[in-house]
Every structure is written in C-alpha cells, then in structure tokens.
Amino acid sequence: MPANPAAPGRPLEVWPPVVALDVAPRANSALICQSSRLASPGPRRHRSNVRVVHGLLAVVAACTVATQAGCGAPGRAGGIVSVGGSSSLYTLSEAVAESFTGVRPDSRVTVSFSGTAGGFRQLCDGEIDIAGASRRISAAEAARCSALDFPFLEIPVARDGIVIIANPANTLVECLTLDELTRLWGSAGEVRTWRDLRPSYPAETIRLFGPGPDSGTFRLFTSVVVGRPGASRSDHYQSEDDDLIARGVAGGRWGLGYLGSAAYTRNREDLRAVPVDTGFGCVEPTPDAVADGRYSPLARDLFIHVGVASLAREEVYALVDYYLSAAATLAVETGYVALPAAEYARGRVMLESGREAS
Amino acid sequence: MKRFRHHGPVSAAGSVAASVTLATAMTLIAILLVQARGVLDFGFLLGTPSRFAAQAGIGPALAGTLWLTLLTAAIACPVGVGAAVYFEEYAPRTRTMLAIESAVANLAGVPPLVFGVAGLALFVRGLGLGSTVLAGGLTLAMLALPTVLVTSQEAIRQVPTGVRAAAYALGATRWEVIRRQVLPAAAPGIVTGLTLALARTAGAAAPLLVIGAASFITYAPGTPGDPLTALPTRVFAWSARSQPGFTALAAGAGVVLLALLLVLHLAGMALRRRLAGAAR
C-alpha cells in the first residue's frame, strides 16, 4: 500500500468508484468554516453542521429579499421607529425614546443624528420616520419633499439657545459682543489670535470649533452672526457630533466654539458658557434668558418633522404623541427650555389632523 | 534555539522588542480594566443604552456585534475561499488574471472607512437594505474578503505538489483533489486567515458609522433586518461624551470587545488544531 503523503503511517483508504485520498472527512466543514464545528465530537456530525450553515445562508438570502421588499428596513416597517436629524435635538429625542420604553416596553426605537439638513433628506427619502430640526424647513428643502410627494408635519417641541463655549481655564473672556463674534467668524484672515479680537487679550491663537454645514445650529449662527446663512470661515474643526466639538474646546485653554444648549449642558463640567452682549448688556444663555427673549437672536425653536403617511403606523403616532406630552418635562431635565403649554396643545391638534389625513 | 544564543546583540534587541510589545498590550488592557472597574456586571452586558450612565448597558451592541461577526463569516468565508481556490487551481496564469489577483489582494490595505462609503452606496442605498445589521454584515464581509482570500491562497500554495500529483496518479478528478486533499491540508491556514479577518472586522467602527449605525437603540437586534448597532460604535459614542460615567462605560464596552476577540482567537486556535490533526 502506498504511503499516505498527508498522513504518514496511515494507509490510504479506498473510496469507490474513483480512487481518492480520503484522509480527512472534514473537507466540507473546512470549506465552509463554521465554528459550531468545535462543539461536535466526531466526523459523523459534519453533515448536520453543513446543514446549519446552509440554513444560515438561506436566512441571509431570505433577509435580503425581505428587506428589499421593505419589511425589514428601519424607517419603513416592522414596528421600528427611527428618529434622526438635528444633533441639537438629539438629547431630547434620546430622552423621549428612553422614557417611551418605560411606558411601552415592547417599543422599538432608534435615535441617531446627521444634522438638520441631512435629516430632511433622509425623512423625505423614507430612510427615517421622524427628523429633528433646529430650524424650520427651507423653501428648497420643502420643494424637494413635495416633488417626492411627501407631505409632512412640522411640530415645535422645545426651545434652546446657541451657547458660545470657551475653556474653563480661560477666565479672561468675560463677555463677547455680537460685533466681535462677527469679526471672529466672518472671514479667515481677520482674527487669528485673541489679541486680534480685543487688544487687551493675549497673543494666543484662537482654536475654533463648530458644527458642520448640515447643522441647523450652523445655519442660524452664521445668519445671525455673519449675516448670511452658511457664510462662515472654514479654517476650523467642524463636526455634526456636538460632543466632539465640546471635547475640542475642553482640550485646550485657548479654544472657542458654539453648541446647542443641551450639548453644552451635557458637557458643562468641561466648558464655560461665554455671555453675549447683543446690545442689552451681557446675557448668559440661561433658560430664563432664552425663554423671555433676552438671549435672542441666538435662541431658536426646535422641531420634529414627521411624514403624514407614517402617522398611519400606530407606533409612529404613539411616539409623536408621547413626545408632545413628555417634551416639557424632559426638555428642562436635559438642558432645553420648554415651550408654553399652548404650543404643545397646538402640536397635538396638528398631529390629530395629520393622522386623519393619513 | 540554542544556536541563537551566541548572537548576543540581535537576541537582546529581539527580547527588548518583544517586551515593549507585551508591555504596550498589557498597559492598554490594564488602563481599560482600571477605567471600567465597577461597570462590568450582568446589567451592563444585557441592558440597553441610557442617558443615565448608571443604567446604561451594551445589550443591543453586543447582540449586533455577534450578528455582524456571524454574517461576515458566513459571507466572507465561502466567497473568499472559493475565490482562492479559483485563482490557485483553475484560473489561467495570464497577465490579466495576475492583475485582477493583485488588485483584489491590494484591497486588504484599503482603510475600513472606504469600505463604509462603498457599503453605503451599494447595500444601504443600492439594494435598499437601509442601515440594517445585514447591510453592516455585507460591508464588513467586503472588508474581510481580501484578507481571507490572500491567506487562503497562501495556505493552498503551501500544499505540496506531490500530494496533488499522487492524487491525480490515483485517478482523482480535479475537484476531488481540491476537496479531499488540497482544502483539508490548507484548512488550518485558512482558519488562521479567517480569524484575523474577523478580528479586524469585529473591531471596525468607521465603516459602520458611515453606513449609519444607530446612536441610541431601545432593543437588541434579533434579525439581520433590524437596525445596525455594534460594540465599536457604542465605544465611540460613549467615549465622545465627557462625563466621567460614560468614560467608564466606553472602557467597559472595550473590555467586552477584547474578551470577544480573545474568544474568537481561542476558537480559531482550537479549530486549527483539530483540522491539523485531521489532515495528518
């Protein structure tokens, strides 16, 4: 008998009708590489393991078909409600979603953020159910949605201020005027160091951080401070992730940036809010100042947008309904300002008429 | 080993290098463990994310990562090994083939982020899968494929020509030679490649962030059609928050991820040993 090259000492087995070197009956399992193989003691089991893997592949194939048909993807069905959009509203939506599971333990909610503009795109493309926004939808965005035949509701849920943030170690900067902010954010060349901003400050480079161009906070800030939405110097760190902006300013003594008030509240131990002089003296971005208008023009309403058609889905309606009833309490808890009760009542009227229309 | 003892400086440099590597790894694990102390318990493993650090858990992320690893293995393994068999055993050695082969092999060096961009266009938007576990699994499978392919090819090349020749001499067909001789002999090497590839994909956060992993999710994904969430993206989300509680949570999720990778490597080692034993 010839020596077995792969296993010296073991004679070759003969496998009719063709002669083959069947030294390893596990060839199949090696080909398919499944780890359940580890649990099986002997070669006799390998057929069933192969079946397991075939089953798994069938599941993958079935899922592909199912999600393509639209019954598995988030934002479309399956009892899942997906919330996206503005990062300024993320904290509130997260809190609402979390409390909602306390009321309805079987609810399936996801919350993410992509900026207000990104949220509108995803909403009207049917990728998410509810889009948070830190401004009203623009005419161009609304036109795109109506071109897609996508009617939606715009419901205000809270109010907040845009907070100018500095490092706690930077105690020099007590207050900034709107004019100074304009010079700072208007063009790249003009203000490079703190001394350029105000002669009494040190000649240290200002390290700037701010929201990215998809952000509603960015649009409002630039239109108020620079005078035109989207017009801002671009030679600074921009992100849709508010926590990264907070990290950046907290990371160096001479950093400066701006954030929605909930993101500021979440990171307040590492940051200092700089009061802004809008012509009525230096105003801190406190809830009172935001509520009574002293902090305007840097205060704004926050909205959720929801497609009329998706209100036909019970879980979407229930979440929006819960959002309106819980927003006042949770807004205060998470660093926003609650709207007057009448606003929430109006929101509920909108919601009911939307549901009838769906 | 004895032979090398005379090479004093080289050996010394080698042991220094080894100690530095070991010390780096140990320090990293120690830092994670210290930061994560008091976090790791069953409530953390099974709970859902929360804005209150004390109540937050990684249940959905853990389930997501297990799903993703399973899907990645189920997709990348047959495709990668199949392609390796084709390139090594069937493909003509033409210049075009060699160009294709090296192009695919070079994909192993492409940053994971780029695979995320491709996955977003292909699976999330193109196939209309949305930001689901399945879309994530397909994207990670793309990321794993080049590694699986290259290591499988290498393992197949290591099978001695004599084995093939002997099998052919006994009248075996080409497929029988591959199935009964080449693949069993190459299996341990293939498993090594698969383990490495899965370890790489299990820790990848960037491609999943690009294809839209949920930041907050109230339940664990139970099917591949559920929304995407995974341990690395959870670590990312928590580590960006500055409150002390969340830093500990991020470290805790990191420890669980490391433990998972360890289990993966041990499973790979055990499987490799069994396969090597079987082929001998």
Side-chain angles (χ1 to χ4, degrees):
Chain A
M1 197 165 258
N4 184 336
R10 196 175 153 190
L12 291 170
E13 291 170 84
V14 175
W15 186 298
V18 186
V19 180
L21 307 160
D22 192 13
V23 289
R26 290 164 205 186
N28 278 332
S29 51
L31 176 62
I32 301 167
C33 300
Q34 88 294 36
S35 52
S36 63
R37 177 88 212 116
L38 283 172
S40 71
R44 212 177 294 161
R45 283 257 204 102
H46 81 272
R47 292 255 168 244
S48 66
N49 284 330
V50 169
R51 228 170 283 140
V52 168
V53 173
H54 283 171
L56 191 72
L57 290 176
V59 168
V60 173
C63 294
T64 315
V65 174
T67 46
Q68 268 183 302
C71 53
R76 261 163 288 173
I80 302 165
V81 188
S82 51
V83 185
S86 168
S87 61
S88 295
L89 196 59
Y90 172 79
T91 313
L92 181 59
S93 295
E94 185 192 59
V96 168
E98 191 179 345
S99 303
F100 187 58
T101 56
V103 187
R104 293 182 34 152
D106 61 330
S107 66
R108 290 143 63 90
V109 184
T110 68
V111 188
S112 41
F113 53 84
S114 56
T116 297
F120 285 136
R121 278 196 298 272
Q122 288 175 301
L123 180 75
C124 299
D125 284 343
E127 289 176 17
I128 55 176
D129 297 309
I130 298 171
S134 55
R135 57 175 170 82
R136 290 188 180 275
I137 194 166
S138 74
E141 286 161 339
R144 179 175 176 274
C145 288
S146 57
L148 290 165
D149 199 18
F150 189 92
F152 60 89
L153 301 178
E154 185 173 75
I155 307 173
V157 288
R159 187 169 289 162
D160 84 340
I162 297 177
V163 181
I164 311 296
I165 52 169
N167 192 286
N170 177 359
T171 48
L172 275 172
V173 185
E174 284 169 350
C175 180
L176 290 171
T177 65
L178 259 189
D179 179 56
E180 281 168 334
L181 289 175
T182 307
R183 282 201 297 123
L184 177 58
W185 291 94
S187 67
E190 205 179 330
V191 178
R192 207 178 57 78
T193 67
W194 286 91
R195 181 168 292 166
D196 296 336
L197 194 61
R198 208 183 274 183
S200 61
Y201 291 159
E204 300 280 351
T205 305
I206 306 179
R207 297 191 56 220
L208 288 176
F209 299 84
D214 261 6
S215 157
T217 306
F218 172 82
R219 276 181 65 113
L220 180 70
F221 185 84
T222 47
S223 62
V224 167
V225 165
V226 185
R228 198 154 47 83
S232 153
R233 64 194 285 174
S234 53
D235 59 336
H236 65 283
Y237 179 85
Q238 288 188 305
S239 172
E240 301 301 341
D241 191 333
D242 293 337
D243 290 323
L244 293 181
I245 298 168
R247 278 266 151 133
V249 174
R253 186 170 175 194
W254 302 110
L256 191 78
Y258 59 97
L259 279 179
S261 56
Y264 161 69
T265 308
R266 203 161 62 220
N267 296 288
R268 67 187 318 157
E269 278 130 55
D270 295 334
L271 301 172
R272 195 166 66 83
V274 180
V276 179
D277 184 349
T278 54
F280 307 97
C282 289
V283 181
E284 293 222 30
T286 57
D288 283 346
V290 169
D292 66 19
R294 274 180 300 140
Y295 197 66
S296 65
L298 286 176
R300 71 269 168 90
D301 282 352
L302 304 171
F303 305 86
I304 54 172
H305 294 75
V306 55
V308 168
S310 51
L311 286 176
R313 283 163 47 208
E314 204 279 333
E315 64 273 14
V316 177
Y317 172 80
L319 181 63
V320 177
D321 186 53
Y322 182 78
Y323 210 124
L324 286 171
S325 59
T329 317
L330 290 175
V332 175
E333 210 177 285
T334 48
Y336 302 86
V337 175
L339 299 173
E343 288 281 322
Y344 292 114
R346 281 197 336 140
R348 182 146 290 136
V349 171
M350 269 203 274
L351 177 63
E352 293 307 328
S353 63
R355 174 142 93 154
E356 275 158 35
S358 66
Chain B
M1 213 51 202
K2 224 175 221 171
R3 274 201 304 154
F4 294 102
R5 228 171 250 169
H6 300 293
H7 299 265
V10 176
S11 160
S15 61
V16 167
S19 331
V20 167
T21 313
L22 190 68
T24 312
M26 296 310 272
T27 313
L28 188 80
I29 293 171
I31 290 173
L32 273 184
L33 284 174
V34 167
Q35 284 190 339
R37 71 183 182 282
V39 165
L40 297 162
D41 55 23
F42 277 108
F44 177 68
L45 282 180
L46 303 175
T48 51
S50 168
R51 72 200 147 96
F52 304 107
Q55 297 168 19
I58 53 165
L62 188 58
T65 285
L66 291 177
W67 262 117
L68 286 173
T69 308
L70 202 67
L71 286 173
T72 307
I75 299 163
C77 185
V79 178
V81 176
V85 167
Y86 175 75
F87 279 133
E88 287 305 310
E89 304 283 336
Y90 289 95
R93 309 305 288 169
T94 60
R95 216 168 271 187
T96 329
M97 263 306 155
L98 287 176
I100 292 175
E101 215 181 302
S102 62
V104 175
N106 277 329
L107 282 179
V110 171
L113 186 72
V114 177
F115 285 94
V117 175
L120 180 69
L122 274 175
F123 306 126
V124 177
R125 304 249 159 87
L127 287 180
L129 293 178
S131 299
T132 54
V133 173
L134 181 62
L138 287 164
T139 306
L140 292 185
M142 281 206 303
L143 179 60
L145 257 182
T147 314
V148 175
L149 174 70
V150 171
T151 49
S152 302
Q153 274 184 290
E154 201 50 50
I156 289 171
R157 248 176 253 156
Q158 298 295 322
V159 180
T161 327
V163 176
R164 290 190 182 83
Y168 283 128
L170 290 167
T173 62
R174 183 183 258 189
W175 173 237
E176 279 163 343
V177 172
I178 293 167
R179 202 179 90 102
R180 300 201 180 278
Q181 289 307 317
V182 175
L183 282 179
I190 293 174
V191 169
T192 307
L194 189 70
T195 318
L196 287 175
L198 287 183
R200 186 181 182 215
T201 56
L208 299 183
L209 288 173
V210 172
I211 63 176
S215 305
F216 178 82
I217 186 162
T218 59
Y219 67 101
T223 72
D226 276 332
L228 177 62
T229 179
L231 275 176
T233 55
R234 190 102 302 275
V235 173
F236 176 75
W238 276 336
S239 60
R241 294 203 172 181
S242 63
Q243 304 96 312
F246 286 100
T247 314
L249 288 176
V255 169
V256 174
L257 186 58
L258 276 182
L260 266 184
L261 294 185
L262 188 68
V263 170
L264 190 69
H265 277 292
L266 289 178
M269 247 162 70
L271 183 61
R272 197 153 60 231
R273 189 162 296 173
R274 283 181 61 96
L275 291 169
R280 202 164 290 133

